[in-house]
Amino acid sequence: MSVIRIDDLTKRYGEVAANDGVSFDVEAGEIFGYLGPNGAGKTTTIRLLLGLIGPTSGTAEVLGADIRDRRALTEAKANVGYLPDTLGFEERLTGRDALDFFARMRGDERREEVLELFEPPLDRRIETYSAGNRRMLGIVQAFMHDPALVILDEPTSGLDPLKQERMHAFLEDERDAGKTIFFSSHVLSEVQRVCDRVGIIREGELVALEDVETLLKRGGKDVRVQLAEPFDEGRFVTSEMIDVETVDSTVHFTYAGDPAALLEHLVGFEIKDVGIGDPRLEDVFKHYYGDEREGVPAEAR
Amino acid sequence: MTAVLRLESGKLVRGSLLLTGLLVMLSAMFFVVFPSIQAEAALFEDVYPEYLLVLLGIEELHTIEGFLGGYVFPFIWILLAGVYFAYVSAGMIVRDVRTRRMDLTLSNPVSRESVLVQKVAALWVPLAALNLGMAAIVLAGVAALGESVSPVALVVVHALGVPYLLVCAGVGVVLSVVLERVETAQATALGVVFVLWLVDGLSQMNPDFEPVGAFTPSRYYDPSAILVHEEYALFDAGVLLAAFLVLLALAVFVFVRRDIR
């Protein structure tokens, strides 16, 4: 059963299409990653799903409710949790008062349980909260009424790495308990880490929809190696290295192969310094989803 | 579903107490100067230009009823409280949209209609505070001056003043769903209520201009008529109430259709 069904959803602001004919389904019991650079239209899709803005054309269903049917959508929200990217709390309330406010509208049977994992200072006013505390309060309100579907817009921004990891584990537990999670992010590694399936949006258009394994293969690693000179570039560069740039004795490339094989390969050289990280999303797009300017998937050309 | 009403009511308590306190102090100052006004009332009515008397609805200034109806209520209730209600209401929706609070509110199973109506319903807080505060200071002032006013007229002047304030709130709410900036909405609401009050007064001076005044809310609330002549214009209050409901319906109509950006 599809928990979210998006059908040719389009939202235009004048000439600009923030969402242009987006179609995909999110199935029950999966963590669906909605990946795209900032400004790609992720938040627009989410705001359409919640009925905060209306579609120019096309439609979507959330838990069976058509987003154009305000009454049905309002009822469906009893079973939806939402963590927005910008958290607009009532600043003068304490965290506890804010949770009480949401609880009156949709219940809080799991409040204490979620508060054991994420602990914002409930007795302090929200205006004194750090970004991390605000995010934690947002997570608690999104899950405390035990919704069937949770929509998370950049959920880990502002969280320290430990809390991010806790969030990822929590999402997996929720998924295993049957929840459906719609997870938007611009961080490739995060989506690779936690999601089952991924939709990639760029400039308002869905450019790819795939299992996370496929994405893992395509993601690659961003590698920078500083070698002790001189070195033999012909011997160093392998076929898994893409976009190789060499400046003096430093080589910068995207590695598309197995990380273990890369490490073994590097051992054969005299290395001063090495940095391995996630590629920028833009680079992934460039390599696997066609050139930025053309706006068409590589396979289609 | 009263969660929004509860929250909004709580948010209005501080401002309402502050406003009521200020208006009560202002009223008290009026009462202090009443004896000297009373002594010079005839002179006042001679010296003040006719338009000023009409503008403020001043009649029978030497009586306590005339003073209340022509001085205290026009300033305190019609002008200052009216401006306050318009100003506060004008912030209600637009501020929540701008601060993204509306996103979280509307992620709950609550309709936009309900959110807007509950927010407006929270105006019971300033209404109650203002009514109690004004009744208390008027009774105290009248007693201190050794005067007396008809208790019925006093109740009526408050009761019929409520629809007037609701119309001011209605103006504010409509601006709050139409305009996109908090400051613009609030300044416009404040300006509109002030101009309407001015137009009503000025229109009464010129017979050609007079019908224009029919479109101002203060035309339908006359404290002097209530207190001095004990004329209770229930129909006029009904007109105000109907105007408030029309404004509220208009605000709902716009709000449920617009994008929350």
Side-chain angles (χ1 to χ4, degrees), chain A residues 11 47 51-52 70 106, chain B residues 103 106 108 112-113 259-260:
Chain A
K11 179 66 179 180
R47 297 178 75 78
L52 293 171
R70 291 193 305 111
R106 48 179 151 90
Chain B
D103 295 4
L106 290 178
N108 293 289
R112 292 195 193 184
E113 290 90 335
D259 282 354
I260 310 290

Side-chain angles (χ1 to χ4, degrees), chain A residues 11 13 47 51-54 70 74 77-78 82 84 88-90 92-93 101-102 104-106 141, chain B residues 1 3-4 6-7 11 14 99-101 103-104 106-113 256 259-261:
Chain A
K11 179 66 179 180
Y13 295 107
R47 297 178 75 78
L52 293 171
I53 55 180
R70 291 193 305 111
T74 299
K77 283 177 188 169
Y82 172 45
F89 289 116
E90 201 67 62
R92 290 224 191 130
L93 296 184
F101 169 62
F102 295 118
R104 279 182 210 111
M105 287 188 274
R106 48 179 151 90
Q141 66 81 32
Chain B
M1 283 300 240
V4 176
R6 277 180 68 163
L7 177 71
K11 277 162 61 184
R14 234 165 70 147
T99 57
R100 294 255 173 248
R101 252 178 251 155
D103 295 4
L104 273 180
L106 290 178
S107 73
N108 293 289
V110 58
S111 66
R112 292 195 193 184
E113 290 90 335
V256 299
D259 282 354
I260 310 290
R261 284 223 249 161

Side-chain angles (χ1 to χ4, degrees), chain A residues 143-157:
Chain A
F143 283 93
M144 69 179 187
H145 55 300
D146 203 20
L149 165 68
V150 186
I151 296 176
L152 306 166
D153 198 353
E154 303 279 353
T156 54
S157 67

